[in-house]
Each structure stands twice: as structure tokens, then as C-alpha cells.
Amino acid sequence: MSIIAVVGNSGGGKTLLCEQVVSALVADGLRVAYVKHAAHGFQPDRAHSDSERVRLAGADPVVVLGPGGVLQLHAGQGSAEELLSQILTGLRGDVVLLEGFSAGPWPKVRVAVDGAERRGGAEPVLADVSRPVDGPFPDDVIRTVGTLLAEQRDRSGPDLAELQADGREVPLRGFAQSVVSATMRGMATALRGVGDAEVLELRLERRNRRRA
């Protein structure tokens, strides 16, 4: 599973690019998960919302994160038990498009309107793309994003991530495993002495933990 975050100024076309990329990838037979960061909150079931546009383009599942809440939409395929299993085991998809999360460690595509100043974002930024003031992104931009997602999938490989809480193993599957792997590698590779390490181990302990 490969992950790319689409970042940029408000009005630059983040949702539009996600919508166009989802349509192209779904037409190629891929399953695309979409996660939007709604920094100012969101209203569930609002018609013509950004998340609704990308859902109609074919994204499945669609997740919106905002202050005080999480909204997750699935296409509804399968029995109630199968859908519950999908929710409990994490997002499924060949690729994941994030909208926002500019400060996160995930690889990014930065969008802007032609001639506009580009907004910064935490590295790595894989590409800067733009669109006409009153038009969609050109086809070559959509192909570029699709290629970057394919390259990320080939480069990252099947990372194995393990998490233990007080000695108990916490299962990581699907999107959860990808997020932990990408976050750890994104943060650690910026540290001196890490390089392209095959195995990374991190131990966290509460500062006020009582010792026996």
C-alpha cells in the first residue's frame, strides 16, 4: 500500500486533484482509500462536500478527520459482519490519498493555481503541480501522481510493523500498519546515524510510570 498526501493552499485544488486521481486509478482497477484532514471541523452528510465529491469519484473508503470527530464512509459491499471486520482491521486499498496533513512525514504532492505562490510543507515533497485558474489539472499531472504512487508502492515494499502495549501485542493491519511504518521511517531517516536501516526499534515509556 502506498500513501501520498496532497497539500497546498486553500483553493489550490487539493480536492479536485484527489477527485481526478481517484477517477483515473479506479478506472484502472485499483482500490483507493481517501483520508481528509478537516482542520476546522466538518458536517456529516453535507451535500457537495469535498469528501462526497471524492466518494462519488470512486474512493472507498472515505475518512474525514476533524476536531472532535471522525467520519468513515464505506461503499457498503458485503455483509454487516464483513463491513464491521473492515472497519476494525483498518482501511483497505491499493493506494491511499491523504488530503492535507502537510506537517506529516508522508510523501507529498504540492498543488497550486497557475502563478500562485506555493505553500510550504514538511519534506519529502515529491512534486509541485498546478492547474489553470478556472480548470482541472491536465492529464499529465494525473499521470504523474499515478506514477509516484506506483513508485512509492514499489520502493516501500512490505514493511512489517509491530506494536506492543505493556507487553501485549497490538495487531496492525492494512492502513494502520502502513501509517505506523511510514511515520516511523519518515521521522527516523531524518536523524543522524539512521540512514537506510533495515530494522528500526523504538521504546516509549510514560515518564510518571510507577516502578515496582
Side-chain angles (χ1 to χ4, degrees):
M1 180 187 292
S2 54
I3 304 174
I4 278 183
V6 177
V7 302
N9 291 328
S10 178
K14 296 188 294 294
T15 301
L16 179 59
L17 181 61
C18 289
E19 188 178 5
Q20 290 183 247
V21 170
V22 166
S23 293
L25 295 181
V26 169
D28 285 340
L30 295 178
R31 181 169 184 172
V32 186
Y34 165 78
V35 182
K36 176 180 174 64
H37 181 209
H40 303 293
F42 60 89
Q43 178 182 347
D45 301 325
R46 182 169 61 88
H48 310 301
S49 65
D50 291 348
S51 57
E52 177 70 2
R53 286 169 50 194
V54 181
R55 186 186 70 80
L56 291 175
D60 177 31
V62 168
V63 179
V64 183
L65 306 179
V70 178
L71 174 67
Q72 185 169 161
L73 302 174
H74 290 264
Q77 298 177 354
S79 67
E81 291 76 16
E82 290 170 337
L83 292 174
L84 178 59
S85 177
Q86 292 176 26
I87 294 172
L88 295 178
T89 57
L91 298 184
R92 297 193 307 164
D94 300 300
V95 299
V96 177
L97 282 179
L98 308 180
E99 182 179 336
F101 304 96
S102 60
W106 298 284
K108 298 169 183 67
V109 171
R110 192 163 48 189
V111 304
V113 176
D114 286 342
E117 182 179 355
R118 299 188 183 280
R119 179 183 176 182
E123 292 293 338
V125 175
L126 302 184
D128 285 315
V129 300
S130 62
R131 66 177 179 88
V133 175
D134 296 319
F137 288 90
D139 291 342
D140 63 323
V141 169
I142 307 307
R143 288 192 294 269
T144 294
V145 177
T147 299
L148 291 173
L149 283 163
E151 290 175 348
Q152 286 298 309
R153 186 166 61 249
D154 294 340
R155 184 179 300 117
S156 60
D159 268 357
L160 172 65
E162 297 178 347
L163 175 64
Q164 292 192 352
D166 292 336
R168 302 186 307 274
E169 183 177 356
V170 178
L172 295 175
R173 303 182 182 89
F175 183 67
Q177 177 168 303
S178 297
V179 166
V180 171
S181 300
T183 302
M184 281 293 298
R185 288 197 177 277
M187 292 187 301
T189 51
L191 301 176
R192 181 178 301 175
V194 174
D196 191 22
E198 290 291 330
V199 178
L200 297 174
E201 294 183 344
L202 173 66
R203 177 184 174 87
L204 299 177
E205 187 172 329
R206 290 186 183 275
R207 181 176 297 176
N208 61 351
R209 180 175 178 175
R210 294 180 180 178
R211 297 184 179 276

